[in-house]
Amino acid sequence: MSFVKRAVLYVARKRGKTLTLFLILLVIATAALSGIAVREAVATAQLNVREALGGTFTLQPNMDDPSKWESREASAGGVVAGTQQVFTGERITNDLGERIMGEVDGIKGFNASWSNAGVPQTLDGEFLELVGDGEGDLADAFLQSYGDFGKTVSLTAATDTRFDAYFAKGYLELIEGDPVRHDSGNGVLVSEKFAELNGLSVGDAFTLKQSDVYDSAELKDTDTVTEVRVQGIFREVAESTAGFSGWSASNTMYCTYDTLTSVRPTHKEDGFDQITFHVDDPADLERIVADVEAGYNGSDDFTVSADNGEVESVTAPLENMDRLVLWLVAGVLVCGAAVLALVLTARVRDRMHESGVLLSLGVPRGRIVGQYLVEAFLVAALAFAVSVPVSAGVAQGLGDGLLEYASERGAEGGAGLGAGGAGRAGDASGMTVVDSSSFGLDFEPNTNLTDIRVTVDGRSAAIAFGAGFALVAAAVACSSAPLLRRTPKEILGKMS
């Protein structure tokens, strides 16, 4: 009888011992397979976060350079009213962004942005309702006292909202229509809440104008009325706060540069505040930033920055979780290996008389050890096969639980970044004016970015099963050491 057939018969006959070995191997395989699957899911989530948050850099005008500013007379109604500081450096335009994309490899897209305020009205000149009127808020009440300034919303000019900071980071999600691009004409994006409140849908038209607080002898708010149409509707995925309820995410609108300068014509020549570039591979970010700095920092007109602070705060729970999974799987495997070795050693000891008889009959030691190995492999194969569906049910729960545990002990996430970027200059009187930095939103950390989807795939199973069979082979070899060292006479004499 071959040793393989003897192994099959032994496994079938000794059901109690087979079940014990099966359960031990099932626990080891499930823990190993779940751990590997969770770690791969964590690695995928980390890559997604780095692509969304870490694969970007920003180019802004260098407004800290005094040589880029000059004093010019400010007039009102043909009368000199003082002087104002004017930035004379190169302006940020859509053409600049396209030029950089064409010259530097590895950039997949960009969005140039600038934010300001505008008043939305119906085609008949009636004010549209804002989401949350700020009643009871002192700051809102103060702004409400300045003409129709309390009716203003945040308007962000964009060249491609797909690469806007809030959309790219998952804070906002386009649910209807198309994104706003450089050539979108009078198309605008509005929030789902604003659209529902005012009965707007994609294709509907309304108007925007500047607030009457900016009226002058040369320019009245009625001169800036600009008709726009709803090109898309977005949903707020994350909670956020704003300095003024009218400039909240729910009341934010995205439009083209031409639309915003039609609403605020005095800023027509100012250009965008910043360009945010998104790279194909976050690993290339340092090289790409260096290339852009080399080509565009020579004139000191621009500054280039890549801030990874938000990436680190968002990925901290994932990194903590990865360490937890590693230690958990290592602990289970070490304990499982020890228990497995003890169980197999006990099995070999119980069968030492049988082994002595086989040796005395001339059966080679290799075949006896081979029988033990086949027995263990048969049970292991069954346990590993069952562990696949078991792990599929366990792994997601394990991942979610460990992520929650790691998040509670990890660093708290930072606030979101504003889409507007740098602000504009103060006016001639030295007073602070409303600029893009005033429209920045503070978003709660987007936990959707760190959500993990754990799947047990063929690669995870191959790694776990390969390691499992190696562990079983090592345990069988160690437990068979007494058999390999003794002669049949020593074995049978000791047993008698």
Side-chain angles (χ1 to χ4, degrees), residues 130-153:
L130 305 188
V131 179
D133 57 8
E135 289 182 359
D137 187 292
L138 293 178
D140 282 7
F142 179 76
L143 291 175
Q144 295 280 358
S145 66
Y146 283 86
D148 62 4
F149 196 79
K151 299 294 185 180
T152 59
V153 298

Side-chain angles (χ1 to χ4, degrees), residues 306-318:
D307 184 8
N308 291 323
E310 191 171 7
V311 178
E312 294 174 358
S313 67
V314 174
T315 57
L318 294 174

Side-chain angles (χ1 to χ4, degrees), residues 120-123 128 155 174 176-191 194-195 200-208 225-234 252-256 259-260 263:
Q121 295 181 314
T122 65
L123 296 178
L128 290 177
L155 300 178
L174 186 67
E176 287 186 56
D178 300 313
V180 165
R181 294 187 173 90
H182 176 64
D183 56 357
S184 291
N186 66 341
V188 298
L189 301 185
V190 300
S191 76
F194 183 88
L200 296 173
S201 57
V202 173
D204 289 348
F206 62 95
T207 64
L208 294 168
V225 175
T226 303
E227 182 174 327
V228 296
R229 62 177 178 81
V230 179
Q231 180 167 313
I233 297 174
F234 64 85
T252 294
M253 299 182 187
Y254 288 86
C255 60
T256 63
T259 295
L260 188 47
V263 176

Side-chain angles (χ1 to χ4, degrees), residues 146-167:
Y146 283 86
D148 62 4
F149 196 79
K151 299 294 185 180
T152 59
V153 298
S154 171
L155 300 178
T156 295
T159 57
D160 193 340
T161 53
R162 294 175 303 167
F163 298 106
D164 172 77
Y166 298 149
F167 283 96

